[in-house]
Amino acid sequence: MEVRSEGIQVRCDKLQSSVIPRTRLRVWFIRVCSSIVVWTCLVQLMTVSELWHSHLISGITNGIYHIAQVQLPIQGDNGVAQSPPVVLPPRNYTSNGFLRVSCNGGLNQMRAAICDMVTVARFLNLTLVVPELDKTSFWADPSNFEDIFDVKHFIDSLRDEVRIVKRVPKKFSSKHGFSTLEMPPVSWSNEKYYLEQILPLFEKHKVLHFNKTDTRLANNGLPLDLQKLRCRVNYQALKFTPQIENLGHKLIQMLHEKGSFVALHLRYEMDMLAFSGCTCGCTDKEAEELKQLRYAFPWWREKEIVSDERRSQGLCPLTPEEAALVLRALGFGRETQIYIAAGEKGHIANLG
């Protein structure tokens, strides 16, 4: 019996010694498989977030980014730590569709139009696509929105008001049965027009493209909250790119080194003179060139314009000589440094 019990004990020991490595191998194998599954899920979630613009994942990543920014304060030009920009929580709403806008006109007109279109998107609970800038105007500027304005700041600074994306998701393309309705909204329209005439169009067309945006929203009579949003877009959300801002700081520094200065935009440029018909101070040859320029643009309805009549109606800008007289009347002396912000390049001159 003793010999038999010892044999059983030896077998048990051998069995136990063989089971332990197998158990460890099994645990190790389960851990590896679990890790692979977890990482695969994370990669898929990140991919889905990128493709479908998942606001849940975006909120998490923005939160992580905000925490990182808080831990690493921004250093200013003078070396003093500055407070990081506050990223507001996104506004939670059900989007009624995507609004694409192609801004037309000069930079001032396009900037005003962007303020209007953000306001319209907010009022109608739409998702705004980053605006497209006009490349067919008189100046034929090839710049895109991201070439002039800080896109990330534009999106983040308005996230508590309206959802803004860089492009329309592919699932809303014609391949998936969706059609984009292109139209110019009626000029100087109030919120009632957009609510009653424009919003119902999104039920059939999930994507609307406003191919003209100049003066498409009324200036007066709008609710105060919409007017405030307009101002917020203009003075906070539309921030120039770092390259443009740095150039502006250098220019101001150069002007300050020579003393105080006045920035003056005469609005006395070829496109304005041609389209307004204001040719006061121009020679007959120059007036004819401006007229031909007006005829070269079919979309400009007024062709024959009497300059003297337009000027008597107060619709012409001051001539450079008249602008100088106004500055002298305001108390600026001959030594006043003037930065003329017009044309392709700015110029520095003196009032004398």
Side-chain angles (χ1 to χ4, degrees):
M1 293 295 293
E2 292 180 358
V3 174
R4 183 175 298 177
S5 61
E6 288 177 0
I8 294 175
Q9 183 64 35
V10 170
R11 291 179 182 178
C12 290
D13 292 341
K14 290 183 179 179
L15 180 61
Q16 186 176 4
S17 61
S18 62
V19 169
I20 292 175
R22 291 181 182 178
T23 303
R24 291 178 179 176
L25 181 61
R26 189 176 302 167
V27 171
W28 178 82
F29 180 78
I30 293 174
R31 288 179 179 177
V32 171
C33 292
S34 301
S35 300
I36 293 174
V37 171
V38 170
W39 280 107
T40 302
C41 292
L42 287 175
V43 171
Q44 289 178 345
L45 284 174
M46 293 174 66
T47 304
V48 170
S49 173
E50 185 69 22
L51 292 176
W52 299 96
H53 304 282
S54 171
H55 302 292
L56 174 63
I57 302 300
S58 299
I60 295 175
T61 55
N62 285 332
I64 296 174
Y65 173 79
H66 180 54
I67 293 173
Q69 291 286 61
V70 172
Q71 293 176 348
L72 299 175
I74 300 174
Q75 297 291 330
D77 295 335
N78 55 1
V80 179
Q82 299 177 350
S83 300
V86 177
V87 180
L88 299 173
R91 175 170 167 255
N92 185 19
Y93 66 97
T94 301
S95 176
N96 291 317
F98 291 85
L99 177 61
R100 286 182 52 206
V101 295
S102 293
C103 303
N104 61 299
L107 183 58
N108 289 334
Q109 288 79 9
M110 291 191 290
R111 187 183 185 105
I114 293 170
C115 300
D116 290 347
M117 294 302 105
V118 170
T119 304
V120 170
R122 169 64 175 83
F123 180 67
L124 299 182
N125 287 334
L126 302 174
T127 298
L128 178 68
V129 182
V130 172
E132 303 168 4
L133 302 187
D134 192 355
K135 297 180 176 61
T136 60
S137 64
F138 171 79
W139 296 108
D141 189 340
S143 301
N144 294 316
F145 186 94
E146 61 271 16
D147 297 323
I148 299 177
F149 301 110
D150 187 331
V151 178
K152 186 178 185 306
H153 175 79
F154 178 69
I155 296 175
D156 291 344
S157 62
L158 294 171
R159 67 199 302 262
D160 63 319
E161 292 283 0
V162 62
R163 195 173 300 140
I164 304 175
V165 296
K166 294 183 178 180
R167 61 188 64 86
V168 177
K170 293 182 179 180
K171 67 177 182 178
F172 292 104
S173 63
S174 57
K175 294 181 179 180
H176 294 82
F178 292 94
S179 61
T180 300
L181 176 62
E182 297 198 12
M183 60 172 292
V186 177
S187 299
W188 305 112
S189 299
N190 58 19
E191 75 279 14
K192 184 178 179 180
Y193 163 79
Y194 285 98
L195 185 63
E196 297 180 357
Q197 302 295 325
I198 299 299
L199 183 59
L201 298 175
F202 283 94
E203 295 180 2
K204 180 179 179 180
H205 307 274
K206 289 300 181 181
V207 182
L208 256 68
H209 179 202
F210 287 168
N211 47 27
K212 287 187 178 180
T213 57
D214 58 327
T215 63
R216 305 293 158 163
L217 186 63
N219 276 341
N220 301 315
L222 294 179
L224 185 59
D225 58 332
L226 297 183
Q227 294 285 31
K228 286 182 177 180
L229 178 57
R230 239 178 184 163
C231 295
R232 179 180 171 187
V233 177
N234 191 36
Y235 294 104
Q236 294 183 3
L238 286 175
K239 180 181 179 182
F240 289 118
T241 60
Q243 295 82 356
I244 295 179
E245 285 201 341
N246 291 335
L247 179 60
H249 289 314
K250 290 180 180 179
L251 180 59
I252 292 176
Q253 184 178 1
M254 291 171 57
L255 292 169
H256 274 311
E257 290 176 353
K258 298 180 180 180
S260 58
F261 68 93
V262 174
L264 176 64
H265 197 308
L266 294 169
R267 299 293 297 164
Y268 211 75
E269 298 172 333
M270 286 189 64
D271 63 330
M272 191 285 305
L273 295 176
F275 300 140
S276 67
C278 299
T279 58
C280 180
C282 298
T283 64
D284 293 340
K285 181 179 179 181
E286 291 171 340
E288 182 62 25
E289 289 179 359
L290 293 172
K291 179 181 178 180
Q292 294 303 321
L293 178 62
R294 187 164 60 246
Y295 271 88
F297 286 84
W299 49 264
W300 191 261
R301 292 186 296 272
E302 285 188 286
K303 301 300 182 182
E304 294 294 334
I305 302 175
V306 180
S307 178
D308 292 338
E309 292 181 1
R310 185 60 57 89
R311 183 174 172 81
S312 65
Q313 296 170 354
L315 300 177
C316 291
L318 297 177
T319 64
E321 293 79 9
E322 291 170 338
L325 292 175
V326 171
L327 290 175
R328 289 295 299 272
L330 292 174
F332 293 96
R334 290 179 176 272
E335 72 285 352
T336 301
Q337 184 183 197
I338 301 177
Y339 176 74
I340 302 177
E344 295 182 0
K345 297 180 181 179
H347 302 276
I348 302 176
N350 290 98
L351 188 57

